């Protein structure tokens, strides 16, 4: 779902990387070359990339959680977390179909993905270096909008922002973000259907 420029060598071999933006689990990836004056466009065969979590929560959890650099916290469908979540620089947070009762605060995260969840408490996402997804109306893999009972502040992130199809009961601030939303979207920030 996340694209990045590829580095090419004299042998016409491309090396690419994806920033965090893929959910925990398998995801289908396809590489596309748009062509040049000397070379024709081409598309690779799809392949599967699997992202793993350092910590997975699928049941009830009482207490605060901290995600450190290099760690991925996955809070899966049906999970119920009561306590705040802090993501430090270089950590990745993926919440899918869960309930969280507490503040979510990220500073310098490698990526944030909040999908189809009920989130009760303020959400502050700042200075993330990877993609920030809080609901995505046309993303692949799918990321349903959220019910957010609290304020939302998404500021100064550099990997693009998707904020789609959410129901928010308080203020929303999205400002100072750069980077690129994944195709088919364009621009640094996509916010629709909220």
């Amino acid at each position: 779902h996340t694209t990045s420029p590829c580095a090419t060598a004299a042998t016409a071999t491309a090396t690419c990387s994806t920033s965090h933006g893929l959910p925990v689990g398998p995801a289908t990836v396809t590489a596309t070359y748009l062509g040049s004056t000397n070379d024709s466009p081409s598309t690779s065969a799809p392949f599967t990339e699997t992202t793993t979590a350092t910590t997975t929560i699928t049941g009830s959890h009482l207490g605060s959680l901290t995600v450190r650099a290099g760690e991925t916290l996955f809070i899966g469908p049906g999970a119920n977390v009561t306590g705040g979540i802090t993501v430090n620089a270089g950590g990745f947070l993926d919440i899918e179909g869960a309930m969280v009762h507490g503040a979510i605060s990220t500073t310098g995260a490698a990526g944030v993905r909040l999908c189809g969840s009920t989130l009760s408490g303020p959400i502050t996402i700042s200075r993330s270096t990877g993609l920030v997804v809080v609901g995505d109306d046309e993303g692949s893999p799918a990321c349903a909008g959220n019910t957010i009972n609290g304020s939302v502040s998404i500021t100064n992130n550099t990997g693009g922002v998707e904020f789609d199809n959410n129901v928010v009961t308080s203020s929303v601030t999205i400002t100072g973000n750069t980077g690129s939303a994944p195709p088919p979207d364009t621009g640094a920030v996509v916010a629709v259907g909220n």
Side-chain angles (χ1 to χ4, degrees):
H1 185 118
T2 302
T3 60
S4 64
C6 297
T8 57
T11 62
T13 300
T15 303
C16 303
S17 63
T18 60
S19 62
H20 281 305
L22 296 175
V24 171
T28 302
V29 178
T30 304
T32 301
Y33 174 64
L34 299 178
S36 69
T37 55
N38 297 322
D39 298 299
S40 300
S42 65
T43 300
S44 74
F47 62 94
T48 300
E49 177 71 23
T50 301
T51 304
T52 58
T54 309
T55 302
T56 298
I57 298 173
T58 56
S60 293
H61 177 86
L62 178 60
S64 62
L65 296 162
T66 300
V67 184
R68 293 174 179 76
E71 295 179 344
T72 297
L73 172 60
F74 175 62
I75 302 175
N80 189 339
V81 174
T82 301
I85 300 170
T86 301
V87 182
N88 295 331
F92 182 71
L93 177 63
D94 184 1
I95 302 175
E96 310 263 348
M99 296 182 72
V100 176
H101 309 278
I104 297 173
S105 177
T106 76
T107 304
V112 177
R113 186 175 163 85
L114 310 176
C115 305
S117 296
T118 300
L119 309 169
S120 299
I123 298 173
T124 303
I125 303 170
S126 67
R127 298 193 312 265
S128 290
T129 57
L131 182 63
V132 173
V133 177
V134 183
D136 186 352
D137 67 332
E138 56 194 6
S140 177
C143 180
N146 304 279
T147 299
I148 302 171
N149 300 308
S151 62
V152 177
S153 175
I154 302 174
T155 60
N156 303 314
N157 299 286
T158 60
V161 173
E162 288 270 359
F163 188 82
D164 299 343
N165 298 331
N166 299 291
V167 176
V168 184
T169 62
S170 191
S171 65
V172 176
T173 302
I174 302 175
T175 187
N177 299 289
T178 59
S180 298
D185 295 315
T186 58
V189 176
V190 176
V192 298
N194 296 294

